[in-house]
Amino acid sequence: MDLSGREPQTPNEWIDHLTRQIHIESAETRRYDEYYEGNHPLAFAQVKFREAFGGMFQGQWADNFCALVVDSVAERLQVEGFRLTEDPKADRDAADIWQRSGMDADSDAAHTDALIQRRAYVHVWADADGKPTITPYSAHEMTLAYVPGSRRTRRVALKRQVDEWGTEHVALMTAKSVYTTSRPEGRDKWDDGKPAKNPLGVVPVIALDNRPRLNRKPMSELHRIIPLQDAVNKVMIDALVASEMGAFPMRWVTGLELAEEDGKTAPPPFKVALDKMLHSEDPNTKFGQFETVDLANYVRLIDALTTHIASVSRIPTHYFLLQAGQPPSGESIKSAEAGLVAKVLQRQRCFGEAWEEVIRLAFAVLKDPRQNAHSAEVIWRDPEYRTEGEHVDALLKKKTFGVPDRQLQEDAGYTPAQIERFPQLRDEQAKEARDRAERFGPPVVPGESQAPAAPGAEDTQGDSRGSSRHLGEAA
């Protein structure tokens, strides 16, 4: 439907407009998807490459650094829980909603898609039982429009999915209503829609923007990596062609007069092969071969390009296996990963704002006053990799500064659910210790002298029967 530059007025006009936006977004980001999955175009491959290898590498090039750039960040974006209010029960309820929606796994997928496709979307709604559900969607399935002049007030969202029969199903969501309709494959018009009231009073879709800008679209992690990846592929193809051609060195011969047949020069009187010896009866004939191809130049160029990828993406160079010998350790690896850690922390701030809004919407589904907990924050797993000894030592030092145990437990990486179980586990452990002491006496500490035996007590040292008798009496 051509709107001729005017704003959509009816639900179907909004659906057509936003569907067009999804198609545009998908066309722009599909290239990022292909590169992440390793489907790199090799249109620049030489004719010699095609002659030597045919379709061996077409569509399945495996030297893929794009996935490494994305996964190195995504694997450190782990949501551990939420801190909503001073009441720990609010944190437990938020964790329950999160777990019930399977978001431990789905949040990883949402982060990965946002890093690749510039943004992902999260839909919050109620299930058949009235409980909140959180569902992430790709930018190929959903889009969102904001109120003109605002970067936060959501105006309308569209969810579009195509079933296995080709029928399009869409849901147009505004602050007041949710309008659903469908369109079979091959038809231009939508079926009659079904409007329903939106009980939340806000558009129930949140955008996860990667590297947001004030006056630009969010940016994919692969935006600046793809040209360098293409260069790596080009040099690698050249190296493969050189290795193929140089695997059998070219030979030359001088002083050999070739006969002519029917005015044409006859082929040489010998066939060149690895197991063939060349000889000529003419004493003036000389044989030789050209120098072998030096592939080290290609290797050095590929190393230089991957170093540029590491610099642009802030991924440590040892992730690319560029350093000879042992990878860095201790303080060296901490220094090498400082850029990556800072990058992950920045992504946590961007995505964290979205997840906080998602949790508030989930409480709005329950009509819970915690929907207004604007001081809520996401508890992220520490993005810095450290040895267990270094981590524990740092926590003990924090304890000397008066940091509460609860905070130390969170810093140690325990989830809110695990921390909530600690008092119960301590009580069970103490009860087991008391029961053991009542049955067998206090535990024996190595190195401490034992109390003298009572007068008349039997000396059963070395007597297995005496030991068995004591055990039986204790039992």
Side-chain angles (χ1 to χ4, degrees):
M1 181 182 296
D2 184 12
L3 299 178
S4 302
R6 64 180 177 82
E7 182 178 293
Q9 300 297 321
T10 67
N12 283 354
E13 288 183 353
W14 270 110
I15 290 173
D16 287 335
H17 171 69
L18 295 176
T19 300
R20 191 178 303 110
Q21 294 301 317
I22 291 178
H23 288 316
I24 294 173
E25 187 79 8
S26 296
E28 293 176 353
T29 60
R30 197 170 302 281
R31 180 167 173 250
Y32 300 136
D33 288 326
E34 294 295 326
Y35 270 84
Y36 174 77
E37 294 169 3
N39 299 324
H40 303 169
L42 303 182
F44 48 76
Q46 305 172 12
V47 174
K48 290 292 185 182
F49 176 79
R50 297 190 182 94
E51 292 176 353
F53 302 105
M56 181 184 300
F57 297 110
Q58 296 293 333
Q60 51 185 359
W61 191 259
D63 194 19
N64 182 19
F65 293 114
C66 292
L68 172 64
V69 169
V70 172
D71 293 343
S72 300
V73 179
E75 67 187 11
R76 300 185 184 223
L77 292 170
Q78 301 291 324
V79 177
E80 296 284 2
F82 295 87
R83 188 181 295 111
L84 268 74
T85 65
E86 296 180 356
D87 182 8
K89 186 177 183 300
D91 302 347
R92 291 196 299 270
D93 293 343
D96 181 69
I97 294 172
W98 186 263
Q99 294 288 342
R100 190 173 183 274
S101 297
M103 289 304 297
D104 278 346
D106 285 354
S107 63
D108 287 349
H111 294 151
T112 300
D113 270 20
L115 293 170
I116 298 170
Q117 301 171 2
R118 304 192 296 216
R119 61 162 57 103
Y121 297 94
V122 185
H123 180 219
V124 182
W125 202 242
D127 62 11
D129 298 326
K131 295 184 178 180
T133 59
I134 304 171
T135 309
Y137 287 95
S138 163
H140 300 306
E141 302 174 297
M142 185 171 279
T143 191
L144 177 64
Y146 294 88
V147 172
S150 174
R151 298 176 54 247
R152 299 187 183 277
T153 305
R154 302 180 299 278
R155 185 181 188 184
V156 60
L158 181 76
K159 179 177 69 174
R160 172 186 177 271
Q161 293 178 303
V162 181
D163 62 24
E164 56 185 315
W165 297 279
T167 300
E168 289 183 84
H169 301 273
V170 297
L172 182 71
M173 293 164 276
T174 67
K176 296 181 178 180
S177 66
V178 176
Y179 181 87
T180 58
T181 184
S182 60
R183 179 171 61 184
E185 185 178 13
R187 282 181 50 182
D188 296 331
K189 294 184 178 181
W190 298 96
D191 294 337
D192 293 336
K194 299 177 181 178
K197 183 180 179 181
N198 180 359
L200 298 179
V202 294
V203 178
V205 174
I206 308 296
L208 287 174
D209 288 341
N210 182 61
R211 301 171 68 180
R213 300 282 305 277
L214 295 179
N215 61 346
R216 292 287 189 276
K217 290 183 178 180
M219 186 181 294
S220 167
E221 292 296 317
L222 303 180
H223 178 72
R224 294 184 294 173
I225 303 301
I226 286 178
L228 293 169
Q229 176 69 70
D230 285 339
V232 171
N233 290 344
K234 172 65 169 62
V235 176
M236 184 64 72
I237 285 176
D238 292 345
L240 289 172
V241 173
S243 67
E244 178 70 12
M245 300 303 175
F248 188 64
M250 296 182 65
R251 294 180 172 87
W252 54 264
V253 58
T254 61
L256 179 65
E257 185 176 354
L258 300 178
E260 293 187 2
E261 298 178 358
D262 299 330
K264 296 181 180 180
T265 302
F270 41 74
K271 293 183 178 180
V272 179
L274 292 174
D275 57 347
K276 300 291 185 180
M277 180 180 293
L278 306 182
H279 68 279
S280 174
E281 296 179 356
D282 189 341
N284 296 322
T285 302
K286 294 182 180 180
F287 296 96
Q289 72 177 26
F290 294 103
E291 293 184 4
T292 57
V293 178
D294 184 9
L295 298 179
N297 293 328
Y298 296 100
V299 175
R300 284 191 288 270
L301 182 52
I302 291 174
D303 284 348
L305 289 170
T306 48
T307 301
H308 288 318
I309 293 177
S311 176
V312 170
S313 64
R314 305 185 75 183
I315 304 298
T317 54
H318 61 268
Y319 277 41
F320 297 85
L321 301 179
L322 299 178
Q323 297 180 347
Q326 295 294 325
S329 61
E331 290 298 320
S332 298
I333 197 170
K334 183 176 181 180
S335 176
E337 295 187 351
L340 175 60
V341 171
K343 177 179 180 178
V344 173
L345 290 173
Q346 195 275 338
R347 302 300 183 271
Q348 287 181 353
R349 287 191 293 272
C350 294
F351 294 155
E353 288 291 328
W355 289 127
E356 291 162 14
E357 179 66 15
V358 166
I359 286 299
R360 286 194 289 267
L361 269 179
F363 280 111
V365 171
L366 299 172
K367 296 180 174 55
D368 191 299
R370 287 171 289 189
Q371 63 183 291
N372 299 315
H374 296 287
S375 61
E377 58 181 342
V378 179
I379 301 174
W380 295 93
R381 183 178 298 174
D382 188 355
E384 185 176 353
Y385 290 162
R386 290 174 287 189
T387 65
E388 192 68 18
E390 291 174 336
H391 199 184
V392 172
D393 183 61
L395 293 175
L396 292 176
K397 290 178 180 178
K398 287 183 179 180
K399 187 174 180 63
T400 62
F401 296 145
V403 178
D405 290 346
R406 171 86 184 201
Q407 183 61 54
L408 294 175
Q409 291 163 352
E410 291 181 0
D411 293 344
Y414 295 105
T415 65
Q418 290 175 314
I419 295 173
E420 290 299 325
R421 292 184 60 217
F422 283 170
Q424 177 186 349
L425 295 176
R426 290 195 195 97
D427 292 342
E428 293 176 357
Q429 185 177 356
K431 183 177 183 301
E432 291 175 359
R434 289 194 301 269
D435 292 344
R436 193 180 304 110
E438 292 174 358
R439 296 180 63 187
F440 304 107
V444 177
V445 180
E448 291 187 0
S449 59
Q450 304 298 313
E458 296 185 34
D459 183 9
T460 58
Q461 184 176 1
D463 186 351
S464 61
R465 292 173 299 174
S467 299
S468 301
R469 183 169 63 253
H470 287 318
L471 290 173
E473 292 172 355

